[in-house]
Amino acid sequence: MGNRGYVTVFLTLILSVLLMLVVAVYSLVDLSCAKGRSAAALRSAMSGVRADYDRYLFEQYHVLFLNKNQKGEGQAGIEENVQKRLEDNLGDEYTVEDVVLNGTTGILDDDCAEFRRQVKDASAYLAADKGVDVLKEKVNGEDEALSKEDMDGLNMERDKKTKKKKGDQDPRKYTKAVNRVGVAYWILPENVTFSDYTIDAKKLPSEGKSGKTAFSVNASFNSMIRFKQEASQSGGWLESATQEGAGLIYAANCFNCLTDTVQEGTQMKMEIEYLIAGKSTDSENYKSVIDQITAIRTICNFAYILRDASKMARLSALAWSVTWYFPPAQPAIKYLLAAAWSYTEAVADVYRLVRGKKIPYLKSAETWVTDLDGLAHMDELMGDGDSEESGDESGLDYEEYLMILLAPRMNTAYYRMLDLMQINANLKAGGESDYFDLKNAITAFGVTTEVDYGGYGFRVESEIGY
């Protein structure tokens, strides 16, 4: 009878221990499930917040940005939003003690690394006909600036079969006159208007970053040293275009320019021109770009004219007539006259470009249109520019020349793209509370939260991004 009592006590103790173990295991499993549920609920809550990306920027620019300062509430607004969603997901059994936003990734961080990534992704499905490969094919890899040998080593003799054209005049008198008027506005199509909007870049993501200096040619052509310096700035863009191909495709398909409007209702009309020049108004950006395209065309035309024996023979004869009082100056004057004629041809080229025509990157005798007094008769040449036959389908159009100018400036252009996005997005904003300063734009964020469940407190962390 006594042994039975010991057995009963022993079994009772065993059962008690087993029951305690079962309860402990159940508690641990329940707590583990609570943590798992909390983690899933947190991810769901964060996904809900992530869905509040700016719709306008996504639809127009194919980027996903979340405003960290929605309705002017700052970071606390997102934390409150996450907490509310988390509490709704978890139910009354859980108490959310604290929610802290951390680990945000801004679009300006690390030299716009996140924005560049999204641009690269977007460019993969944008129009292929505006790609860098097409541009490279059209220029046949010719992007080098003129060398000293190009300008000083081609001392061509006069072609005996070619006589000086009667009435040849120094073309520099025409180029100087046009330069005083201003080529950019002289060739401006009548139907083009500029926006009245003035950009204050210092208040925008770019903060007025200067970028690469604009270049041009001096139309007086009275110094060979100056022309050499100007010519040396025009090449070397092809390597940049290869490296920044995604950004160029994105810019061409998402931003307006003089000859291509990809979206309506923007503050600026000359948007790609702004990416290049960074000036505060449409008018200034247009002028800067036209001056630079004219410089490129001048150098390209100069490279051709040096190899045209007929044209160089006429220039040689004209140089002798200009320098009869000081013959040693003849070689330098010949090249300056060639540069002036190249500039004349460049003006005709750019006139056609701004009217939607195409110009071959490298000229030939068949595609050369001006004479030594070409600017004196530019009205006739410009009239030809409006004909259906004008232009070379295998040549480059205005927008492709913008890509040539943009390629070496892409580091700055990414910031200027964000400037335009911010300006246009806030044009649609309903009020000050809806203002989106892209300095507050993020593409990823983390959340740490403290949750209480049945008297047990634990921490849950998660990260999410686009």
Side-chain angles (χ1 to χ4, degrees):
M1 191 73 181
N3 291 334
R4 290 179 182 176
Y6 287 124
V7 171
T8 301
V9 171
F10 177 74
L11 291 175
T12 301
L13 290 174
I14 292 294
L15 290 173
S16 299
V17 171
L18 290 175
L19 183 60
M20 292 174 61
L21 286 174
V22 169
V23 171
V25 169
Y26 175 79
S27 298
L28 289 174
V29 170
D30 188 38
L31 183 59
S32 179
C33 290
K35 290 180 178 180
R37 181 177 176 182
S38 298
L42 178 59
R43 287 194 294 272
S44 176
M46 293 171 69
S47 294
V49 171
R50 182 180 60 174
D52 291 334
Y53 59 82
D54 190 282
R55 298 296 190 273
Y56 173 81
L57 293 178
F58 176 70
E59 292 169 1
Q60 299 299 328
Y61 300 107
H62 317 290
V63 292
L64 292 165
F65 294 164
L66 177 67
N67 188 357
K68 193 171 67 172
N69 186 34
Q70 293 179 6
K71 299 181 180 180
E73 297 175 351
Q75 183 171 304
I78 293 182
E79 293 172 343
E80 183 178 344
N81 196 350
V82 171
Q83 181 166 349
K84 183 177 184 305
R85 292 171 183 270
L86 182 58
E87 289 173 342
D88 290 342
N89 291 339
L90 288 175
D92 296 335
E93 295 179 320
Y94 297 79
T95 303
V96 180
E97 301 290 352
D98 191 25
V99 172
V100 178
L101 187 70
N102 53 46
T104 59
T105 303
I107 60 168
L108 297 178
D109 294 350
D110 195 19
D111 197 22
C112 296
E114 278 295 296
F115 179 47
R116 291 172 188 254
R117 176 184 62 80
Q118 292 200 28
V119 165
K120 185 176 181 180
D121 292 343
S123 68
Y125 60 83
L126 291 172
D129 60 342
K130 294 183 179 180
V132 175
D133 290 338
V134 176
L135 182 62
K136 289 161 63 177
E137 181 179 348
K138 288 183 178 181
V139 302
N140 298 317
E142 297 287 344
D143 76 317
E144 295 301 322
L146 288 176
S147 66
K148 186 175 185 297
E149 289 72 19
D150 286 327
M151 291 181 281
D152 292 336
L154 297 174
N155 296 314
M156 295 182 177
E157 295 294 332
R158 180 173 178 177
D159 188 336
K160 294 181 180 180
K161 295 181 180 180
T162 305
K163 296 184 179 296
K164 177 190 170 194
K165 182 179 178 181
K166 185 177 180 180
D168 278 352
Q169 299 291 324
D170 189 335
R172 293 177 294 178
K173 69 178 183 179
Y174 303 111
T175 62
K176 290 177 183 177
V178 172
N179 193 51
R180 285 194 294 271
V181 174
V183 169
Y185 303 117
W186 186 46
I187 66 171
L188 182 68
E190 293 182 359
N191 63 338
V192 172
T193 58
F194 298 126
S195 167
D196 294 330
Y197 187 80
T198 300
I199 287 179
D200 185 358
K202 292 183 179 179
K203 297 180 179 180
L204 296 171
S206 72
E207 297 182 336
K209 294 181 185 295
S210 58
K212 184 178 179 180
T213 305
F215 60 91
S216 61
V217 292
N218 188 299
S220 64
F221 298 105
N222 56 12
S223 169
M224 200 62 200
I225 294 176
R226 176 187 293 175
F227 182 65
K228 289 178 182 177
Q229 292 173 340
E230 293 166 347
S232 67
Q233 302 178 63
S234 64
W237 60 268
L238 192 55
E239 182 179 354
S240 298
T242 301
Q243 295 173 348
E244 298 290 351
L248 295 177
I249 294 172
Y250 182 81
N253 285 279
C254 294
F255 295 95
N256 299 332
C257 69
L258 174 71
T259 59
D260 187 14
T261 301
V262 297
Q263 63 169 302
E264 301 290 342
T266 58
Q267 283 281 29
M268 306 287 286
K269 295 182 178 180
M270 310 289 168
E271 293 187 316
I272 300 181
E273 290 86 344
Y274 171 71
L275 300 183
I276 296 167
K279 304 294 184 182
S280 59
T281 65
D282 271 351
S283 177
E284 293 174 296
N285 289 313
Y286 164 76
K287 181 182 183 303
S288 176
V289 164
I290 291 300
D291 287 345
Q292 292 182 74
I293 295 177
T294 304
I296 290 175
R297 290 305 317 150
T298 299
I299 304 309
C300 291
N301 294 339
F302 188 68
Y304 162 71
I305 207 172
L306 291 177
R307 293 166 175 82
D308 188 313
S310 175
K311 288 181 174 58
M312 289 303 292
R314 288 177 59 188
L315 291 169
S316 182
L318 180 57
W320 277 115
S321 68
V322 172
T323 61
W324 61 269
Y325 58 91
F326 188 61
Q330 187 272 338
I333 292 298
K334 179 177 68 173
Y335 286 113
L336 288 172
L337 294 174
W341 195 356
S342 301
Y343 179 84
T344 300
E345 182 77 6
V347 173
D349 291 342
V350 179
Y351 174 87
R352 287 168 169 76
L353 289 173
V354 297
R355 284 159 177 77
K357 306 301 179 182
K358 295 183 178 182
I359 300 297
Y361 192 73
L362 298 178
K363 283 293 183 77
S364 65
E366 291 72 27
T367 55
W368 192 275
V369 299
T370 64
D371 208 334
L372 280 168
D373 59 349
L375 288 176
H377 303 286
M378 189 57 75
D379 288 342
E380 300 173 15
L381 295 169
M382 287 184 172
D384 292 339
D386 291 325
S387 68
E388 291 298 325
E389 294 78 17
S390 176
D392 180 354
E393 288 305 313
S394 65
L396 303 179
D397 60 23
Y398 174 79
E399 191 172 10
E400 288 171 319
Y401 276 98
L402 293 185
M403 296 302 103
I404 290 175
L405 294 176
L406 184 59
R409 295 172 168 81
M410 280 305 298
N411 282 338
T412 307
Y414 283 110
Y415 290 91
R416 291 175 181 168
M417 287 181 194
L418 294 172
D419 290 351
L420 296 173
M421 290 180 184
Q422 179 170 315
I423 291 169
N424 292 332
N426 290 317
L427 183 63
K428 318 294 182 182
E432 187 175 344
S433 63
D434 294 326
Y435 185 83
F436 193 175
D437 185 342
L438 292 189
K439 294 176 184 178
N440 294 319
I442 59 176
T443 61
F445 62 96
V447 168
T448 299
T449 180
E450 299 288 342
V451 178
D452 181 87
Y453 174 73
Y456 293 97
F458 51 85
R459 175 178 295 182
V460 182
E461 299 178 332
S462 186
E463 295 180 352
I464 199 169
Y466 298 112

